[in-house]
Amino acid sequence: MASVTVNGLVKRYGHLEVLKDITLDVRDGEFVALVGPSGCGKSTLLRILAGLDASSEGRIAIGGRDVGHVHPKDRDIAMVFQSYALYPHMTVAENLGFALKLAGVSKEVISQKVSRAAEILHLETLLARYPRELSGGQRQRVAMGRAIVRDPKVFLFDEPLSNLDAKLRVVMRAEIKELQQRLKATAVYVTHDQIEAMTMADRIVVMNGGKIEQFATPLELYDRPANIFVASFIGSPQMNLVAASISSDGLKISTTHMLPPNKHAHQVSEGDYVVGIRPEDITLSDTQGIPVRVTVVEPTGSHTMVHGRTETGDLMLASLPGRVDVRPGEQRCFAIDFAKVHLFHADSGSAVSPLAA
Ligand SMILES: Nc1ncnc2c1ncn2[C@@H]1O[C@H](COP(=O)(O)OP(=O)(O)OP(=O)(O)O)[C@@H](O)[C@H]1O
Ligand SMILES: [Mg+2]
């Protein structure tokens, strides 16, 4: 197994810089997820790690070895893509063994490795079938099996589950995680789905516009987002972000709601801020908190989502446990647990240390 170290990586297409000074350290056996909006450079970074694309600047080491001039097939890396493109005219067993056959591996060894991969992925009974005779999840398992037979040091995944339906995705993400732990493999996993990233990864890289916004454990990202981008990207439903200002009177949220100055455990200079409040950190009150007019109520069974509009027109969402007696049109207050309020500089978007430290 191996660590992956990326140092000062830059990728340009003509004048367009799609990766800007990426520095990253994935530990041996670690599962790291790459998340970020479409076009932020996730696949580009992965392809450069695999050696399928060249970087413009910077260095990459796998297992401590600089791989700048190492051919993709000699990097001990296996990549699993979103479109798994199995060979339609080959059986599952042939698909699994094909790369080894090309590499001139003996029939006996291929057969051993294919059996082992089939066992790991519960494909034993499907080895004689053709891809068209498999379900989406089974095909995805075969694609994973093709990676496993090569005994790679590092697995690279580019949205491997995005073609599957929601239910199967949940099953497969647990399987991939279990597999990675069993093989003690290092994994870099690209996904659009922040829940997938949160549940699978040891650490998550949040990318935006070719840069790393934050690299931290799932709960660090959730509890201490470094900036507004990360705060709004991680967490579902999304964190409420409301304009606020600090004066000698205290913190004013949405122009009406005051949080007295003694609530700030540390000194924050006067000025404009953005307050971040997670929907699950809000409770409903008749008198305390930010006054809202309820616009939409969504019962999900376990929770009730209550949308409200503040007096200044900001939309806010509260996620309340259980069932709540509230109707659209009613005037209520969203009470805030001050200890859980996030504060960001309005100009830079970067986080001020937690309000109630
Ligand atoms: N061969 C290329 N030539 C020019 N620009 C490219 C090329 N490949 C990618 N890009 C650009 O690089 C940027 C990053 O693309 P990339 O595929 O890495 O994004 P991504 O984060 O994987 O997005 P998605 O989530 O949509 O898959 C995009 O703006 C894309 O248009
Ligand atoms: Mg991509």
Side-chain angles (χ1 to χ4, degrees):
M1 294 306 124
S3 61
V4 177
T5 315
V6 177
N7 226 308
L9 193 76
V10 175
K11 176 65 178 176
R12 288 184 210 97
Y13 288 111
H15 291 297
L16 185 67
E17 204 168 73
V18 299
L19 292 178
K20 301 168 183 164
D21 194 17
I22 300 283
T23 292
L24 190 64
D25 196 356
V26 181
R27 299 174 196 130
D28 183 24
E30 192 175 26
F31 193 114
V32 165
L34 291 183
V35 299
S38 186
C40 73
K42 306 178 294 293
S43 296
T44 304
L45 177 54
L46 214 62
R47 290 176 58 81
I48 292 175
L49 290 180
L52 300 174
D53 276 337
S55 61
S56 307
E57 285 173 36
R59 289 206 314 277
I60 297 171
I62 295 170
R65 173 174 73 138
D66 193 310
V67 294
H69 298 287
V70 179
H71 194 270
K73 74 172 173 38
D74 299 322
R75 288 190 181 195
D76 278 336
I77 270 182
M79 193 147 164
V80 182
F81 297 94
Q82 170 182 0
S83 54
Y84 23 85
L86 303 178
Y87 301 110
H89 57 287
M90 290 184 196
T91 63
V92 168
E94 286 162 351
N95 264 288
L96 289 174
F98 188 62
L100 300 175
K101 192 172 161 190
L102 280 188
V105 176
S106 74
K107 270 203 172 122
E108 297 78 66
V109 175
I110 294 180
S111 155
Q112 271 169 23
K113 293 200 169 195
V114 167
S115 308
R116 178 174 155 266
E119 191 189 325
I120 289 172
L121 291 162
H122 311 298
L123 291 167
E124 297 103 317
T125 58
L126 305 174
L127 285 171
R129 290 211 200 161
Y130 288 90
R132 63 173 181 277
E133 300 166 327
L134 302 177
S135 72
Q138 289 165 340
R139 280 180 216 170
Q140 189 51 275
R141 265 188 224 131
V142 177
M144 220 101 70
R146 285 197 305 198
I148 290 177
V149 293
R150 298 174 46 209
D151 286 325
K153 286 187 179 150
V154 180
F155 284 94
L156 302 178
F157 296 96
D158 196 352
E159 310 213 32
L161 305 183
S162 56
N163 281 340
L164 306 179
D165 67 45
K167 211 166 160 185
L168 189 52
R169 247 183 1 236
V170 173
V171 175
M172 288 298 292
R173 83 180 181 219
E175 284 190 12
I176 292 181
K177 180 71 189 159
E178 202 239 13
L179 181 68
Q180 180 261 346
Q181 286 167 348
R182 194 138 43 104
L183 300 176
K184 297 189 175 23
T186 309
V188 182
Y189 188 103
V190 169
T191 176
H192 261 96
D193 183 340
Q194 54 107 359
I195 302 282
E196 212 167 275
M198 295 286 282
T199 52
M200 294 176 87
D202 298 311
R203 285 191 296 166
I204 299 175
V205 180
V206 181
M207 288 179 68
N208 184 28
K211 287 197 305 230
I212 294 179
E213 296 277 356
Q214 195 171 359
F215 182 24
T217 66
L219 293 182
E220 276 167 20
L221 291 179
Y222 185 85
D223 292 336
R224 286 185 296 282
N227 52 48
I228 291 180
F229 181 83
V230 176
S232 57
F233 201 82
I234 299 291
S236 179
Q238 197 184 311
M239 183 188 281
N240 295 291
L241 294 164
V242 184
S245 62
I246 290 180
S247 66
S248 53
D249 299 335
L251 173 67
K252 195 195 287 185
I253 300 173
S254 203
T255 74
T256 49
H257 183 63
M258 297 301 292
L259 166 54
N262 64 1
K263 288 281 186 188
H264 317 167
H266 66 297
Q267 291 301 312
V268 180
S269 50
E270 297 183 8
D272 291 332
Y273 292 86
V274 172
V275 151
I277 306 149
R278 296 233 178 253
E280 55 273 31
D281 292 335
I282 294 175
T283 53
L284 212 53
S285 160
D286 288 330
T287 51
Q288 294 288 309
I290 303 172
V292 294
R293 199 174 60 79
V294 175
T295 56
V296 177
V297 179
E298 301 168 327
T300 70
S302 66
H303 282 71
T304 306
M305 303 294 172
V306 179
H307 299 253
R309 193 180 290 280
T310 68
E311 288 167 346
T312 49
D314 290 308
L315 279 174
M316 292 185 70
L317 172 65
S319 170
L320 306 163
R323 288 117 210 248
V324 182
D325 184 22
V326 58
R327 286 183 186 77
E330 285 179 5
Q331 202 66 44
R332 294 292 187 97
C333 290
F334 280 173
I336 302 164
D337 178 352
F338 292 120
K340 291 180 175 164
V341 163
H342 301 261
L343 191 63
F344 304 97
H345 294 286
D347 46 3
S348 66
S350 61
V352 179
S353 34
L355 262 188

